Amino acid sequence: MSDFRTSTHRERWILQPHDLMESWAAANRRAAETLAQYGTTQMKVNPVDGSIDLPDHVDSSGVKPMSYEEEQLIRVFYEQKIQEVCTAFKFPHKIQATAIIYFKRFYLQWSVMEHQPKNIMLTCVYASCKVEENHVSAEELGKGIQQDHEIILNNEMVLLKSLDFDLIVYAPYRSIEGFIDDLEGFCRAGNGAFQRLEELHQMAISHADKMMLTDAPLLYTPGQLALAALHKCNDILKVFDFERYLETIFSRQHSNCTIEQFVQSINAINYLVDQLKMPSVKDMRHLDRKLRHCWDPSSRDEHKKKEKKSKHKSKRTSTDAQL
């Protein structure tokens, strides 16, 4: 069985906050420069080897690139869509989590202006099913969500290359289950709350779902995420003495950090969850329109024509009503 301590996940993909910001800013800046130079940001992907070709030059006068903050909202929106797709297919949580982590890692390398997040989202789900040995064909996945399965396959190689083929990832769900099993003995010996552990387990899973939409999976280990979820939910349910349990964990394991430092990490994770902002329907209409303009500047002119036609129709209707 693979071990997180010796994994590429721990070695290469647990980052510092400034690493994330620099990666996102660099991708956003590169896409903005591409838009200024070529008039479009959408990259051409070779489906065979995942190589990238720069776009042909088109007229893009008046098209503005997306901001750093707008890209963040789009990423969160599609990460939640991954959860919805996986729930619809009744996939286990490990597939959902793997797909989201793939998606997060991919957009450390690229801007959403360069590769359509809807397409990458589906390819992440498809790839995670294969890696987690819950294989679903691209045709079945595409049919289930009414999308062309060729889109999924065409982006598979660029996804794998962007991940550096580091495909084994670790999520908090298994760690939560391990801590719940460990707590069975702790609660029997302690406060007699064994019967409430299942309620705590389910609530912690739901909280972990929210965590997966934040930056936390790129900043903290699965064990830290799991304990943060249990800590937050135990504050509500009062099942066990969390501080005492944390002391028993540290007494059994050799850690490079103190309990105080670990608690700071837990609080930081839950702060990220509390600060999570989901885009509204109105936000997404605006963001989706702006994103389409970056990919296809001609869509901006079409949108203006529709708006003008709609305003003209509204004005004519108002005049008729007065008559």
Side-chain angles (χ1 to χ4, degrees), residues 46-265:
N46 185 321
V48 177
D49 61 8
S51 60
I52 304 294
D53 290 326
L54 290 170
D56 297 324
H57 187 276
V58 296
D59 180 25
S60 65
S61 56
V63 176
K64 294 181 179 180
M66 305 201 75
S67 69
Y68 176 94
E69 293 76 18
E70 288 171 331
E71 289 207 54
Q72 286 183 308
L73 286 175
I74 286 182
R75 288 196 300 269
V76 170
F77 174 81
Y78 281 102
E79 286 167 10
Q80 187 181 49
K81 284 298 177 185
I82 288 175
Q83 292 180 333
E84 291 176 6
V85 169
C86 290
T87 299
F89 275 87
K90 295 183 170 59
F91 291 149
H93 267 86
K94 63 180 182 178
I95 290 176
Q96 167 189 300
T98 298
I100 289 175
I101 291 175
Y102 285 174
F103 188 87
K104 287 179 181 293
R105 290 182 182 180
F106 182 87
Y107 284 110
L108 285 174
Q109 320 296 324
W110 300 101
S111 163
V112 299
M113 291 182 278
E114 295 171 316
H115 295 280
Q116 294 191 27
K118 183 178 182 179
N119 298 345
I120 298 302
M121 169 196 79
L122 299 176
T123 305
C124 287
V125 173
Y126 175 65
S128 68
C129 285
K130 291 169 71 172
V131 170
E132 299 295 348
E133 299 180 351
N134 197 91
H135 182 60
V136 174
S137 69
E139 291 85 352
E140 186 179 352
L141 183 60
K143 184 178 179 181
I145 51 181
Q146 299 179 332
Q147 296 293 325
D148 182 1
H149 72 277
E150 290 295 334
I151 291 174
I152 298 172
L153 297 175
N154 288 346
N155 286 287
E156 184 175 14
M157 188 52 67
V158 72
L159 170 66
L160 298 180
K161 287 181 71 174
S162 298
L163 300 177
D164 261 348
F165 294 90
D166 290 338
L167 303 179
I168 304 301
V169 303
Y170 296 78
Y173 302 103
R174 187 174 178 182
S175 296
I176 289 173
E177 187 175 336
F179 284 124
I180 291 293
D181 289 343
D182 189 49
L183 279 165
E184 290 181 6
F186 178 81
C187 289
R188 278 201 206 100
N191 57 14
F194 169 70
Q195 66 277 11
R196 299 182 62 200
L197 284 176
E198 183 55 31
E199 184 182 1
L200 177 66
H201 187 188
Q202 295 307 314
M203 185 180 287
I205 288 175
S206 295
H207 190 70
D209 286 344
K210 296 177 184 176
M211 280 182 184
M212 295 305 296
L213 302 179
T214 72
D215 300 338
L218 295 173
L219 299 170
Y220 299 97
T221 68
Q224 289 173 313
L225 298 176
L227 281 172
L230 289 169
H231 178 256
K232 183 75 172 182
C233 298
N234 189 64
D235 271 353
I236 299 170
L237 297 178
K238 310 294 184 187
V239 177
F240 65 101
D241 185 333
F242 185 85
E243 285 70 23
R244 192 161 68 85
Y245 178 63
L246 204 57
E247 289 172 2
T248 68
I249 294 176
F250 271 76
S251 68
R252 286 177 281 165
Q253 299 180 4
H254 299 290
S255 177
N256 293 327
C257 71
T258 65
I259 290 182
E260 290 74 20
Q261 290 171 324
F262 198 84
V263 169
Q264 285 179 358
S265 297

Side-chain angles (χ1 to χ4, degrees), residues 20-33 68 108-109 111 114:
L20 300 186
M21 295 178 194
E22 287 178 4
S23 295
W24 291 327
N28 179 268
R29 186 166 55 250
R30 183 183 62 236
E33 291 170 355
Y68 176 94
L108 285 174
Q109 320 296 324
S111 163
E114 295 171 316

